[in-house]
Amino acid sequence: AQRVTQPEKLLSVFKGAPVELKCNYSYSGSPELFWYVQYSRQRLQLLLRHISRESIKGFTADLNKGETSFHLKKPFAQEEDSAMYYCALSGGYQKVTFGTGTKLQVIP
Amino acid sequence: DAGVIQSPRHEVTEMGQEVTLRCKPISGHNSLFWYRQTMMRGLELLIYFNNNVPIDDSGMPEDRFSAKMPNASFSTLKIQPSEPRDSAVYFCASGGRTTYGYTFGSGTRLTVV
């Protein structure tokens, strides 16, 4: 079975502070991991994927197979980062499992 | 590419009525997913198709829900009869190679009164 855990429902940080959104996963094979972002009342958008090792809007995420984690980080939060963030795992048959999401609130 | 297209954007219906939600995936994508999003439960996978074949429908809440994908460019999610607790935003997403992630539609906001 594949499972994604996002332990924090809400994360509030001040503008300029570092951000870390936690994601842990459970999967027996080699997973594909993603972060999606959903701004207020909009569609989910792919933010980044672990395989590309990219930085998008200042966010990065490193896959740690030992800790089965894929935490999302940004050194300096901006107000426009306020949104819901979903960690997702893709396993066999392209099935995608999402975590329950973390609402990031950046306080001016 | 217009992306994943869902219709309608908003649907308000009375309890007991049949509701049909529609999705047009991105051309060339071979997987399609239906999700339901609510404040209480977050994002739930209802069903997904691969090459038009339903692979996993274990997330479909009840027999009142059914989904079809008659061809690679169209899918429907039907609720019959609808109930107030079905009120949610329903998202459709499609994908090709898993490493590229998935593209979501704008969602259908369903309100059952």
Side-chain angles (χ1 to χ4, degrees):
Chain A
Q2 53 191 67
R3 187 179 298 120
V4 177
T5 303
Q6 293 180 251
E8 302 143 326
K9 295 195 77 168
L10 172 66
L11 181 65
S12 295
V13 301
F14 285 103
K15 178 182 172 182
V19 174
E20 183 179 49
L21 300 170
K22 292 185 169 50
C23 172
N24 288 90
Y25 67 90
S26 173
Y27 184 64
S28 56
S30 293
E32 305 286 351
L33 284 152
F34 308 89
W35 276 99
Y36 285 81
V37 60
Q38 186 180 29
Y39 299 103
S40 180
R41 300 176 80 86
Q42 294 186 24
R43 73 179 73 191
L44 277 82
Q45 303 172 41
L46 179 63
L47 181 61
L48 53 79
R49 46 202 169 105
H50 91 268
I51 198 166
S52 58
R53 303 180 70 81
E54 57 204 340
S55 173
I56 304 292
K57 298 183 181 183
F59 285 97
T60 59
D62 292 318
L63 177 61
N64 185 323
K65 292 187 177 180
E67 296 182 359
T68 60
S69 68
F70 188 56
H71 304 326
L72 183 68
K73 299 177 183 179
K74 184 170 182 176
F76 308 104
Q78 299 172 303
E79 289 181 64
E80 54 265 33
D81 296 329
S82 295
M84 281 290 293
Y85 291 81
Y86 291 92
C87 182
L89 179 154
S90 177
Y93 281 109
Q94 299 182 309
K95 178 177 179 177
V96 182
T97 300
F98 282 83
T100 49
T102 298
K103 182 176 182 178
L104 175 64
Q105 183 181 59
V106 180
I107 304 165
Chain B
D1 192 338
V4 176
I5 300 172
Q6 289 187 249
S7 63
R9 289 294 302 273
H10 303 274
E11 176 81 32
V12 180
T13 191
E14 291 185 346
M15 182 174 66
Q17 296 298 305
E18 177 181 294
V19 175
T20 300
L21 312 180
R22 297 174 177 79
C23 175
K24 181 181 183 335
I26 290 175
S27 177
H29 281 185
N30 65 342
S31 57
L32 183 141
F33 305 80
W34 282 101
Y35 289 90
R36 177 171 68 177
Q37 186 179 42
T38 60
M39 290 289 290
M40 295 295 292
R41 292 200 175 108
L43 203 60
E44 301 173 275
L45 175 63
L46 301 177
I47 184 171
Y48 76 102
F49 296 84
N50 190 258
N51 294 324
N52 311 340
V53 176
I55 302 298
D56 185 347
D57 65 354
S58 59
M60 297 284 263
E62 301 168 32
D63 291 344
R64 299 184 295 107
F65 285 69
S66 63
K68 293 182 181 179
M69 192 165 186
N71 56 61
S73 59
F74 184 64
S75 177
T76 59
L77 177 67
K78 187 176 292 187
I79 309 172
Q80 167 63 19
S82 58
E83 296 182 4
R85 60 193 167 118
D86 301 331
S87 298
V89 180
Y90 291 81
F91 286 102
C92 175
S94 72
R97 288 181 58 189
T98 59
T99 51
Y100 291 105
Y102 302 88
T103 302
F104 280 77
S106 299
T108 294
R109 185 173 294 276
L110 174 65
T111 304
V112 184
V113 297

PDB file of all heavy atoms in Angstrom, chain B residues 84-101:
ATOM      1  N   PRO B  84     -27.016  15.745  -0.175  1.00  0.00           N
ATOM      2  CA  PRO B  84     -26.290  16.942   0.280  1.00  0.00           C
ATOM      3  C   PRO B  84     -24.842  16.672   0.658  1.00  0.00           C
ATOM      4  O   PRO B  84     -23.971  17.517   0.438  1.00  0.00           O
ATOM      5  CB  PRO B  84     -27.124  17.412   1.482  1.00  0.00           C
ATOM      6  CG  PRO B  84     -28.510  16.958   1.164  1.00  0.00           C
ATOM      7  CD  PRO B  84     -28.342  15.621   0.467  1.00  0.00           C
ATOM      8  N   ARG B  85     -24.556  15.509   1.209  1.00  0.00           N
ATOM      9  CA  ARG B  85     -23.174  15.212   1.610  1.00  0.00           C
ATOM     10  C   ARG B  85     -22.244  15.002   0.427  1.00  0.00           C
ATOM     11  O   ARG B  85     -21.032  14.848   0.606  1.00  0.00           O
ATOM     12  CB  ARG B  85     -23.130  13.990   2.517  1.00  0.00           C
ATOM     13  CG  ARG B  85     -23.660  12.710   1.896  1.00  0.00           C
ATOM     14  CD  ARG B  85     -23.863  11.657   2.978  1.00  0.00           C
ATOM     15  NE  ARG B  85     -24.641  10.525   2.483  1.00  0.00           N
ATOM     16  CZ  ARG B  85     -24.175   9.288   2.431  1.00  0.00           C
ATOM     17  NH1 ARG B  85     -22.964   9.022   2.846  1.00  0.00           N
ATOM     18  NH2 ARG B  85     -24.927   8.307   1.988  1.00  0.00           N
ATOM     19  N   ASP B  86     -22.785  14.974  -0.764  1.00  0.00           N
ATOM     20  CA  ASP B  86     -21.953  14.879  -1.968  1.00  0.00           C
ATOM     21  C   ASP B  86     -21.396  16.243  -2.370  1.00  0.00           C
ATOM     22  O   ASP B  86     -20.561  16.334  -3.285  1.00  0.00           O
ATOM     23  CB  ASP B  86     -22.749  14.307  -3.143  1.00  0.00           C
ATOM     24  CG  ASP B  86     -23.301  12.923  -2.852  1.00  0.00           C
ATOM     25  OD1 ASP B  86     -22.671  12.188  -2.057  1.00  0.00           O
ATOM     26  OD2 ASP B  86     -24.366  12.584  -3.415  1.00  0.00           O
ATOM     27  N   SER B  87     -21.857  17.283  -1.715  1.00  0.00           N
ATOM     28  CA  SER B  87     -21.391  18.629  -2.048  1.00  0.00           C
ATOM     29  C   SER B  87     -19.888  18.726  -1.827  1.00  0.00           C
ATOM     30  O   SER B  87     -19.385  18.416  -0.740  1.00  0.00           O
ATOM     31  CB  SER B  87     -22.113  19.676  -1.184  1.00  0.00           C
ATOM     32  OG  SER B  87     -23.501  19.650  -1.438  1.00  0.00           O
ATOM     33  N   ALA B  88     -19.177  19.126  -2.853  1.00  0.00           N
ATOM     34  CA  ALA B  88     -17.715  19.158  -2.817  1.00  0.00           C
ATOM     35  C   ALA B  88     -17.231  19.751  -4.133  1.00  0.00           C
ATOM     36  O   ALA B  88     -18.020  20.054  -5.027  1.00  0.00           O
ATOM     37  CB  ALA B  88     -17.140  17.740  -2.658  1.00  0.00           C
ATOM     38  N   VAL B  89     -15.926  19.888  -4.236  1.00  0.00           N
ATOM     39  CA  VAL B  89     -15.315  20.216  -5.522  1.00  0.00           C
ATOM     40  C   VAL B  89     -14.741  18.926  -6.087  1.00  0.00           C
ATOM     41  O   VAL B  89     -13.992  18.222  -5.406  1.00  0.00           O
ATOM     42  CB  VAL B  89     -14.202  21.272  -5.389  1.00  0.00           C
ATOM     43  CG1 VAL B  89     -13.600  21.576  -6.757  1.00  0.00           C
ATOM     44  CG2 VAL B  89     -14.753  22.544  -4.757  1.00  0.00           C
ATOM     45  N   TYR B  90     -15.113  18.616  -7.306  1.00  0.00           N
ATOM     46  CA  TYR B  90     -14.649  17.399  -7.954  1.00  0.00           C
ATOM     47  C   TYR B  90     -13.614  17.779  -9.019  1.00  0.00           C
ATOM     48  O   TYR B  90     -13.890  18.566  -9.920  1.00  0.00           O
ATOM     49  CB  TYR B  90     -15.830  16.647  -8.583  1.00  0.00           C
ATOM     50  CG  TYR B  90     -16.744  16.062  -7.543  1.00  0.00           C
ATOM     51  CD1 TYR B  90     -17.712  16.851  -6.907  1.00  0.00           C
ATOM     52  CD2 TYR B  90     -16.636  14.732  -7.156  1.00  0.00           C
ATOM     53  CE1 TYR B  90     -18.540  16.330  -5.925  1.00  0.00           C
ATOM     54  CE2 TYR B  90     -17.471  14.190  -6.177  1.00  0.00           C
ATOM     55  CZ  TYR B  90     -18.416  14.998  -5.570  1.00  0.00           C
ATOM     56  OH  TYR B  90     -19.226  14.475  -4.599  1.00  0.00           O
ATOM     57  N   PHE B  91     -12.436  17.213  -8.863  1.00  0.00           N
ATOM     58  CA  PHE B  91     -11.357  17.493  -9.804  1.00  0.00           C
ATOM     59  C   PHE B  91     -11.089  16.273 -10.683  1.00  0.00           C
ATOM     60  O   PHE B  91     -11.135  15.134 -10.216  1.00  0.00           O
ATOM     61  CB  PHE B  91     -10.058  17.831  -9.062  1.00  0.00           C
ATOM     62  CG  PHE B  91     -10.028  19.192  -8.439  1.00  0.00           C
ATOM     63  CD1 PHE B  91     -10.225  19.356  -7.075  1.00  0.00           C
ATOM     64  CD2 PHE B  91      -9.780  20.310  -9.217  1.00  0.00           C
ATOM     65  CE1 PHE B  91     -10.192  20.611  -6.493  1.00  0.00           C
ATOM     66  CE2 PHE B  91      -9.746  21.577  -8.639  1.00  0.00           C
ATOM     67  CZ  PHE B  91      -9.951  21.725  -7.283  1.00  0.00           C
ATOM     68  N   CYS B  92     -10.780  16.572 -11.907  1.00  0.00           N
ATOM     69  CA  CYS B  92     -10.291  15.561 -12.831  1.00  0.00           C
ATOM     70  C   CYS B  92      -8.829  15.899 -13.117  1.00  0.00           C
ATOM     71  O   CYS B  92      -8.460  17.077 -13.195  1.00  0.00           O
ATOM     72  CB  CYS B  92     -11.115  15.607 -14.119  1.00  0.00           C
ATOM     73  SG  CYS B  92     -10.554  14.520 -15.431  1.00  0.00           S
ATOM     74  N   ALA B  93      -8.004  14.893 -13.253  1.00  0.00           N
ATOM     75  CA  ALA B  93      -6.598  15.101 -13.583  1.00  0.00           C
ATOM     76  C   ALA B  93      -6.177  14.066 -14.602  1.00  0.00           C
ATOM     77  O   ALA B  93      -6.704  12.945 -14.618  1.00  0.00           O
ATOM     78  CB  ALA B  93      -5.724  14.999 -12.335  1.00  0.00           C
ATOM     79  N   SER B  94      -5.232  14.437 -15.448  1.00  0.00           N
ATOM     80  CA  SER B  94      -4.714  13.452 -16.397  1.00  0.00           C
ATOM     81  C   SER B  94      -3.200  13.490 -16.383  1.00  0.00           C
ATOM     82  O   SER B  94      -2.583  14.480 -15.981  1.00  0.00           O
ATOM     83  CB  SER B  94      -5.260  13.705 -17.806  1.00  0.00           C
ATOM     84  OG  SER B  94      -4.688  14.858 -18.404  1.00  0.00           O
ATOM     85  N   GLY B  95      -2.615  12.388 -16.824  1.00  0.00           N
ATOM     86  CA  GLY B  95      -1.159  12.298 -16.840  1.00  0.00           C
ATOM     87  C   GLY B  95      -0.679  11.341 -17.909  1.00  0.00           C
ATOM     88  O   GLY B  95      -1.410  10.463 -18.367  1.00  0.00           O
ATOM     89  N   GLY B  96       0.576  11.545 -18.289  1.00  0.00           N
ATOM     90  CA  GLY B  96       1.211  10.631 -19.227  1.00  0.00           C
ATOM     91  C   GLY B  96       2.254   9.824 -18.483  1.00  0.00           C
ATOM     92  O   GLY B  96       1.948   9.016 -17.632  1.00  0.00           O
ATOM     93  N   ARG B  97       3.487  10.094 -18.753  1.00  0.00           N
ATOM     94  CA  ARG B  97       4.544   9.439 -17.989  1.00  0.00           C
ATOM     95  C   ARG B  97       4.514   9.923 -16.549  1.00  0.00           C
ATOM     96  O   ARG B  97       4.349  11.100 -16.278  1.00  0.00           O
ATOM     97  CB  ARG B  97       5.899   9.779 -18.596  1.00  0.00           C
ATOM     98  CG  ARG B  97       6.165   9.104 -19.936  1.00  0.00           C
ATOM     99  CD  ARG B  97       7.552   9.472 -20.449  1.00  0.00           C
ATOM    100  NE  ARG B  97       8.579   9.093 -19.488  1.00  0.00           N
ATOM    101  CZ  ARG B  97       9.839   9.457 -19.604  1.00  0.00           C
ATOM    102  NH1 ARG B  97      10.239  10.201 -20.612  1.00  0.00           N
ATOM    103  NH2 ARG B  97      10.738   9.078 -18.701  1.00  0.00           N
ATOM    104  N   THR B  98       4.670   9.006 -15.632  1.00  0.00           N
ATOM    105  CA  THR B  98       4.496   9.353 -14.221  1.00  0.00           C
ATOM    106  C   THR B  98       5.479  10.418 -13.772  1.00  0.00           C
ATOM    107  O   THR B  98       5.187  11.232 -12.916  1.00  0.00           O
ATOM    108  CB  THR B  98       4.677   8.128 -13.322  1.00  0.00           C
ATOM    109  OG1 THR B  98       5.988   7.583 -13.531  1.00  0.00           O
ATOM    110  CG2 THR B  98       3.653   7.069 -13.658  1.00  0.00           C
ATOM    111  N   THR B  99       6.653  10.438 -14.363  1.00  0.00           N
ATOM    112  CA  THR B  99       7.670  11.355 -13.866  1.00  0.00           C
ATOM    113  C   THR B  99       7.328  12.812 -14.144  1.00  0.00           C
ATOM    114  O   THR B  99       7.931  13.709 -13.573  1.00  0.00           O
ATOM    115  CB  THR B  99       9.028  11.032 -14.502  1.00  0.00           C
ATOM    116  OG1 THR B  99       8.855  10.968 -15.927  1.00  0.00           O
ATOM    117  CG2 THR B  99       9.551   9.707 -14.012  1.00  0.00           C
ATOM    118  N   TYR B 100       6.388  13.057 -15.012  1.00  0.00           N
ATOM    119  CA  TYR B 100       6.032  14.433 -15.318  1.00  0.00           C
ATOM    120  C   TYR B 100       4.893  14.960 -14.467  1.00  0.00           C
ATOM    121  O   TYR B 100       4.495  16.108 -14.606  1.00  0.00           O
ATOM    122  CB  TYR B 100       5.673  14.562 -16.801  1.00  0.00           C
ATOM    123  CG  TYR B 100       6.873  14.377 -17.695  1.00  0.00           C
ATOM    124  CD1 TYR B 100       7.058  13.214 -18.407  1.00  0.00           C
ATOM    125  CD2 TYR B 100       7.831  15.382 -17.805  1.00  0.00           C
ATOM    126  CE1 TYR B 100       8.168  13.039 -19.206  1.00  0.00           C
ATOM    127  CE2 TYR B 100       8.940  15.215 -18.600  1.00  0.00           C
ATOM    128  CZ  TYR B 100       9.109  14.037 -19.297  1.00  0.00           C
ATOM    129  OH  TYR B 100      10.208  13.873 -20.092  1.00  0.00           O
ATOM    130  N   GLY B 101       4.352  14.160 -13.598  1.00  0.00           N
ATOM    131  CA  GLY B 101       3.265  14.623 -12.748  1.00  0.00           C
ATOM    132  C   GLY B 101       1.952  14.636 -13.495  1.00  0.00           C
ATOM    133  O   GLY B 101       1.826  14.089 -14.592  1.00  0.00           O
TER     134      GLY B 101
END
